[in-house]
Amino acid sequence: MNFLHKNKSLILYGISLALILFLMKWLELRLIIINHSFEVYAGFIALIFTGLGIWLALKLTKPKTILVEKEVYPDLSKNFVVNEDELAKLNISKRELEVLELMASGLSNQEIANTLFVSLNTVKTHIAKLFEKLEVKRRTQAVETSKRLKIIP
Amino acid sequence: MNFLHKNKSLILYGISLALILFLMKWLELRLIIINHSFEVYAGFIALIFTGLGIWLALKLTKPKTILVEKEVYPDLSKNFVVNEDELAKLNISKRELEVLELMASGLSNQEIANTLFVSLNTVKTHIAKLFEKLEVKRRTQAVETSKRLKIIP
DNA sequence: TTTTGGCTCATACTTTTGGGCGATTTTAAC
DNA sequence: GTTAAAATCGCCCAAAAGTATGAGCCAAAA
């Protein structure tokens, strides 16, 4: 099956060739071309097989592929995806991530505490743990690093 | 001239055909193929003209092309350009911008002072002015805002 | 030449942040 | 049901950050 499909053109060509030869033989037997000169007969064959050659070439040539590089400017701010792997690797919890995001948006610890309805101390603890995990010493560094690691947008 | 160039393939084909026919005639005259059967002769012609047909087709047909678009994601972080307009609008000085960049990279005020070979107080002053101009209250906000305004990468 | 603006620095003070504990409660996993 | 991790909160202290104000220096602009 696969073989037949792959060599379809070749097989068709072979069949065509056989048919042509058969046709010529038949014509010869019928004495139709006896009166014609040999040149006409040769020209006929030449014509037929030229056509077959053209057809074969068109069928068998592989199309040429041209690679066009198209620049895509994705809206990074919209199709941001959290780097879950890095998040898991750093062992950052859900709550810590929340705090991190609020911190990155420029809120003070007190504002973060108000937003999350927790005490200031809790926020401090979360941030302290974040600093540990991110291996940084300041909140600006934390924001820098976590953005680089695609933990936050 | 132009005509010759345009129909080069066609002319070559004509010449080739003439040459082949001439060759066959010569062979015929030389009685070389007299002893061969007609089928062999026909097969010879068929072979030659099939090749010619293939050659002709390859020469005359435009190459089949498949356009494949490849998406390229340019590194936006590298071709960053400072938004000079915004910078001018906010009236941020060169030195202030330096401080802003170092601040954004996560350095402490003391580290910034060491980097720029100025006193800590000077850095504080610059930062205070930056906060005014950017209309923010904290360094994280300053970084946030200035990145959004494309003042820093 | 005067003035303006940028850069520098200082002092004093307040607020925020961060470090280092310890502790209880919730939640999730085993 | 025990256990571990997460989340919560507190206190204290030191460091850093931020506020306010004043002032000297210098180069470029008016």
Side-chain angles (χ1 to χ4, degrees), chain A residues 69-76 79, chain B residues 70-76 79:
Chain A
E69 292 200 341
K70 182 186 175 190
E71 288 203 341
V72 178
Y73 294 91
D75 192 346
L76 293 173
N79 50 9
Chain B
K70 184 191 175 190
E71 293 191 342
V72 177
Y73 297 90
D75 193 348
L76 294 174
N79 46 18

Side-chain angles (χ1 to χ4, degrees), chain A residues 13 25 38-39 41 49-50 53-54 58 61 63-66 68 70 72-73 104 106 108 111 138 141 144, chain B residues 13 25 38-39 41 49-50 53-54 58 61 64-66 68-72 104 106 111 138 141 144:
Chain A
Y13 185 63
K25 205 72 189 170
F38 174 76
E39 279 78 7
Y41 191 43
F49 280 89
T50 299
I54 290 172
L58 290 178
T61 51
K64 193 173 163 188
T65 58
I66 294 178
V68 177
K70 182 186 175 190
V72 178
Y73 294 91
S108 71
E111 287 169 335
R138 274 171 292 282
Q141 277 185 353
E144 234 292 278
Chain B
Y13 184 64
K25 206 69 191 172
F38 174 77
E39 279 78 5
Y41 191 43
F49 280 88
T50 299
I54 290 171
L58 292 178
T61 56
K64 294 175 190 173
T65 57
I66 293 177
V68 178
E69 286 195 345
K70 184 191 175 190
E71 293 191 342
V72 177
E111 286 169 336
R138 273 172 293 282
Q141 277 185 353
E144 234 293 283

Side-chain angles (χ1 to χ4, degrees), chain B residues 25-123:
Chain B
K25 206 69 191 172
W26 179 75
L27 288 171
E28 189 182 9
L29 288 172
R30 278 303 200 96
L31 302 174
I32 292 174
I33 59 164
I34 289 175
N35 298 329
H36 298 334
S37 68
F38 174 77
E39 279 78 5
V40 172
Y41 191 43
F44 176 69
I45 298 173
L47 203 66
I48 295 294
F49 280 88
T50 299
L52 276 170
I54 290 171
W55 173 78
L56 192 69
L58 292 178
K59 276 286 166 187
L60 292 184
T61 56
K62 289 171 189 169
K64 294 175 190 173
T65 57
I66 293 177
L67 290 183
V68 178
E69 286 195 345
K70 184 191 175 190
E71 293 191 342
V72 177
Y73 297 90
D75 193 348
L76 294 174
S77 59
K78 288 202 172 176
N79 46 18
F80 165 81
V81 279
V82 181
N83 188 344
E84 301 285 356
D85 293 339
E86 200 66 41
L87 214 55
K89 197 185 294 174
L90 294 175
N91 199 27
I92 291 175
S93 72
K94 233 179 289 179
R95 198 57 158 175
E96 285 164 358
L97 185 61
E98 278 186 275
V99 173
L100 179 59
E101 282 164 353
L102 293 173
M103 189 171 68
S105 75
L107 298 191
S108 70
N109 289 350
Q110 188 58 62
E111 286 169 336
I112 295 172
N114 294 340
T115 304
L116 298 179
F117 299 106
V118 295
S119 79
L120 173 63
N121 292 309
T122 301
V123 174

Side-chain angles (χ1 to χ4, degrees), chain A residues 109-110 112-114 116-126:
Chain A
N109 289 351
Q110 188 58 62
I112 295 172
N114 295 339
L116 298 179
F117 299 105
V118 295
S119 79
L120 174 61
N121 292 310
T122 302
V123 174
K124 283 185 178 184
T125 307
H126 285 313

